[in-house]
């Protein structure tokens, strides 16, 4: 399965069969509460259920944004990833190397979209949750203070980086062998260079525009209220495999 | 809005001169050549129902304005670095000049290649432009299909353009990521903005609907003029 770095994360058999559930009409929003009941066939990715209700992140992120973002945007990445991987599998079985290469961009974009959003939902939580308090991440906070002086210092640094993004993309706090770093990725490029993603902030306009319009600095200010520091701590302490377990669960 | 910008730009220029006498000449030159937000030739609500007035107002007065400001700031930073012989400082501004300068160029072309439906907008290309479209695409309908497919295929933010090769005169459809402008041997004739801020408030994730609707406000007169120049 040495197809691509993305796929090598998932030691699975791809596309034993197709599943009619994948053909969700794009206007037919899936109810996240029902998703865990929808068992997909082995090898096809599934939209993971949100661990909270669409409106649970208000007022930091509106319910309308969350519903579109999860039910439509993330779903489209999952659908298009599955379609691309299916075509890739047939290109592989017919030894069509040109066809395989032609699909890599679609796999990276849609696979990245699926990875990034799956990590993103898990690293957010309602502001009322104890997990939203930075005290839920004592080990991580100590390392943040060591690297940036304080949580505020880190927040100022990542905010500056996020506001400097040109076009669509993501900002991430990651852990590598050197310690903590802030990185950005363009479009839906995922963090798959060996780093452990601690948490991501989606800077695509669809992540904030309906509520914040062009005021992306206000979106960044408010997202700190709903960061899931407990998840961040677990990813910091754990390995890359731990951070990506949500993806294996969505197969 | 443009008047406000000029005033604040002048003040910034004055401050820069007061602070650094060595940079005075560069700042003076720079203030004279400052980019400003161009006025729209139609009202914000004039492209409705195809593009909402709210989108147009934010897109022009906030987003385009930010590119103008960013471009002016980057040009000023280049002049200051240049005056100090700081080549590294000049080079560091290159991505910002490309992004904000491209944003300013692209939006300026965009506003001009749109017009209210029935008042210059919509309909079909005519004359020499139509002849060229038929030769290079087979039909106007095929051009639309190719453009819409190109728009749908953009991964992230970007633009699709109908362009003319300056040497051969051949028409084609190309895309550019983010705010990269059309440069080199290609002449931009018609630009369509595929950034989410161009349609999200009205169309949300249904971007294919936006790509379908924008043809009703394309100003073919502008496109023809660009083609024949």
């Amino acid at each position: 399965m040495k197809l691509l770095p993305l796929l090598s994360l998932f030691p699975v058999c791809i596309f034993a069969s197709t599943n009619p559930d994948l053909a969700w009409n794009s206007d037919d929003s899936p109810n996240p509460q029902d998703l865990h009941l929808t068992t997909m066939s082995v090898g096809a990715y599934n939209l993971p259920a949100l661990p909270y209700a669409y409106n649970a992140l208000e007022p930091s992120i509106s319910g309308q944004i969350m519903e579109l973002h999860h039910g439509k945007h993330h779903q489209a990445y999952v659908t298009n990833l599955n379609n691309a991987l299916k075509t890739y599998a047939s290109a592989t079985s017919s030894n069509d190397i040109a066809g395989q290469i032609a699909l890599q961009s679609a796999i990276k974009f849609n696979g990245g979209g699926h990875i990034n959003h799956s990590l993103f939902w898990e690293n957010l939580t309602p502001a009322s949750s104890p997990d939203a308090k930075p005290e839920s991440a004592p080990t991580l906070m100590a390392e943040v203070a060591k690297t940036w002086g304080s949580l505020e210092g880190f927040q100022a640094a990542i905010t500056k980086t996020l506001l400097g993004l040109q076009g669509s993309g993501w900002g991430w706090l990651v852990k590598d062998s050197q310690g903590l770093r802030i990185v950005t990725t363009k479009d839906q490029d995922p963090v798959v260079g060996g780093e452990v993603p601690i948490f991501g902030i989606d800077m695509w306009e669809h992540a904030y525009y309906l509520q914040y319009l062009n005021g992306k600095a206000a979106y960044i200010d408010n997202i700190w209220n709903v960061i899931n520091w407990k998840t961040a701590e677990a990813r910091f302490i754990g390995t890359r495999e731990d951070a990506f377990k949500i993806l294996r669960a969505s197969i | 809005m443009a008047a406000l910008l000029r005033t604040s730009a002048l003040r910034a220029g004055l401050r820069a001169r007061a602070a650094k006498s060595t940079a005075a000449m560069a700042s003076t030159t720079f203030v004279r050549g400052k980019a400003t937000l161009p006025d729209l030739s139609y009202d914000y609500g004039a492209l409705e129902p195809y593009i909402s007035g709210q989108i147009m107002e934010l897109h022009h007065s906030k987003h385009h304005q930010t590119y103008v400001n960013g471009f002016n700031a980057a040009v000023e930073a280049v002049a200051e670095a240049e005056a100090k012989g700081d080549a590294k400082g000049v080079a560091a501004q290159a991505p910002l000049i490309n992004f904000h300068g491209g944003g300013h160029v692209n939006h300026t072309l965009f506003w001009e290649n749109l017009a209210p439906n029935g008042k210059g907008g919509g309909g079909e290309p005519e004359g020499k432009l139509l002849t060229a479209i038929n030769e290079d695409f087979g039909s106007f309908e095929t051009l639309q299909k190719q453009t819409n497919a190109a728009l749908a295929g953009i991964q992230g933010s970007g633009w699709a353009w109908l362009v003319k090769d300056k040497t051969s005169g051949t028409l084609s459809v190309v895309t550019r990521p983010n705010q990269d402008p059309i440069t080199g041997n290609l002449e931009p004739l018609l630009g369509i903005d595929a950034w989410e801020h161009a349609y999200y408030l009205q169309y949300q994730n249904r971007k294919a609907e936006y790509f379908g609707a924008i043809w009703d406000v394309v100003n073919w007169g502008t496109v023809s003029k660009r083609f024949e120049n």
Side-chain angles (χ1 to χ4, degrees):
Chain A
M1 289 308 284
K2 290 268 180 190
L3 304 181
L4 283 169
L6 164 68
L7 296 185
S8 64
L9 293 168
F10 312 113
V12 295
C13 170
I14 299 180
F15 316 115
S17 66
T18 57
N19 188 314
D21 288 342
L22 288 177
W24 267 329
N25 184 304
S26 62
D27 292 320
D28 184 12
S29 187
N31 180 340
Q33 277 72 43
D34 293 336
L35 287 175
H36 66 283
L37 300 174
T38 312
T39 307
M40 307 298 281
S41 60
V42 172
Y45 293 90
N46 196 355
L47 182 69
L50 285 188
Y52 38 77
Y54 283 138
N55 64 1
L57 304 186
E58 292 189 350
S60 291
I61 305 177
S62 75
Q64 187 193 12
I65 287 177
M66 289 300 295
E67 183 165 357
L68 284 161
H69 202 171
H70 178 260
K72 304 291 187 184
H73 290 277
H74 190 170
Q75 180 62 63
Y77 293 118
V78 170
T79 302
N80 294 332
L81 172 64
N82 286 331
N83 289 339
L85 289 175
K86 195 166 139 187
T87 314
Y88 192 95
S90 58
T92 304
S93 66
S94 57
N95 296 316
D96 175 10
I97 184 68
Q100 287 172 260
I101 292 168
L103 282 158
Q104 291 192 4
S105 160
I107 293 172
K108 183 176 187 182
F109 181 67
N110 293 294
H114 177 46
I115 290 174
N116 292 337
H117 287 92
S118 298
L119 293 168
F120 184 55
W121 309 135
E122 296 284 321
N123 69 224
L124 299 177
T125 193
S128 58
S129 159
D131 301 346
K133 294 186 180 8
E135 293 76 34
S136 306
T139 319
L140 174 62
M141 280 303 133
E143 189 66 20
V144 163
K146 213 169 92 184
T147 311
W148 287 281
S150 64
L151 175 60
E152 291 71 27
F154 159 68
Q155 287 172 325
I158 196 170
T159 298
K160 192 179 169 201
T161 304
L162 294 172
L163 291 176
L165 268 174
Q166 297 182 344
S168 301
W170 291 74
W172 296 91
L173 173 64
V174 302
K175 176 182 77 171
D176 63 16
S177 56
Q178 309 294 311
L180 291 175
R181 275 194 304 137
I182 293 165
V183 298
T184 60
T185 51
K186 70 174 177 62
D187 303 326
Q188 293 298 354
D189 289 0
V191 181
V192 287
E195 308 92 338
V196 180
I198 307 297
F199 66 81
I201 297 179
D202 189 348
M203 290 305 294
W204 279 59
E205 290 176 321
H206 66 235
Y208 61 84
Y209 208 83
L210 291 178
Q211 184 176 359
Y212 294 96
L213 309 175
N214 61 305
K216 59 183 170 182
Y219 160 67
I220 298 168
D221 281 349
N222 287 336
I223 207 163
W224 297 114
N225 299 323
V226 290
I227 292 292
N228 190 328
W229 291 106
K230 190 181 171 195
T231 295
E233 174 84 350
R235 287 178 186 166
F236 177 66
I237 292 171
T239 66
R240 188 176 167 72
E241 286 291 299
D242 299 325
F244 281 80
K245 67 178 188 290
I246 177 71
L247 293 161
R248 285 190 298 279
S250 76
I251 292 171
Chain B
M1 182 57 75
L4 276 176
L5 174 66
R6 282 187 205 102
T7 309
S8 62
L10 191 58
R11 277 198 214 104
L14 288 169
R15 274 199 302 276
R17 273 201 298 278
K20 280 185 182 164
S21 59
T22 51
M25 193 57 83
S27 296
T28 309
T29 310
F30 167 65
V31 168
R32 199 177 295 139
K34 214 159 184 80
T36 55
L37 183 69
D39 290 332
L40 291 187
S41 63
Y42 40 81
D43 293 337
Y44 287 138
L47 303 186
E48 290 189 350
Y50 309 102
I51 305 176
S52 76
Q54 189 192 11
I55 288 176
M56 288 300 295
E57 183 166 0
L58 285 161
H59 201 171
H60 178 258
S61 72
K62 303 290 186 186
H63 291 278
H64 190 169
Q65 183 69 66
T66 301
Y67 294 119
V68 169
N69 296 351
F71 176 62
N72 286 333
V75 168
E76 187 168 12
V78 165
E80 283 173 12
E82 212 172 14
K84 288 187 279 187
D86 176 10
K88 194 177 159 193
V90 172
Q93 293 300 315
L96 293 163
I97 300 245
N98 182 67
F99 183 67
H100 292 287
H104 178 40
V105 168
N106 292 339
H107 285 92
T108 301
L109 290 166
F110 183 55
W111 310 134
E112 289 172 359
N113 66 221
L114 299 179
N117 184 262
K119 296 175 187 168
E124 298 195 1
E126 295 170 358
K128 288 178 187 167
L129 175 63
L130 180 61
T131 305
I133 287 172
N134 286 335
E135 273 175 21
D136 295 331
F137 294 94
S139 68
F140 173 51
E141 199 187 350
T142 308
L143 163 65
Q144 287 180 302
K145 275 187 191 159
Q146 280 191 22
T147 307
N148 288 358
L151 286 161
I154 292 173
Q155 296 179 340
S157 301
W159 293 72
W161 295 90
L162 172 65
V163 297
K164 181 175 79 171
D165 185 289
K166 288 178 188 172
T167 309
S168 65
T170 310
L171 301 180
S172 59
V173 173
V174 299
T175 62
R176 289 289 179 274
N178 301 326
Q179 295 296 355
D180 286 2
I182 299 291
T183 55
N185 208 39
L186 298 178
E187 186 72 32
L189 305 184
L190 166 66
I192 299 177
D193 191 346
W195 279 60
E196 288 176 322
H197 66 234
Y199 62 84
Y200 208 82
L201 291 179
Q202 184 174 1
Y203 296 96
Q204 288 90 44
N205 63 306
R206 305 181 312 279
K207 60 183 175 181
E209 285 180 31
Y210 160 67
F211 300 148
I214 200 154
W215 297 101
D216 288 308
V217 289
V218 167
N219 186 335
W220 290 109
T222 295
V223 180
S224 280
K225 266 184 218 148
R226 289 176 186 166
F227 172 70
E228 289 179 30
N229 274 350

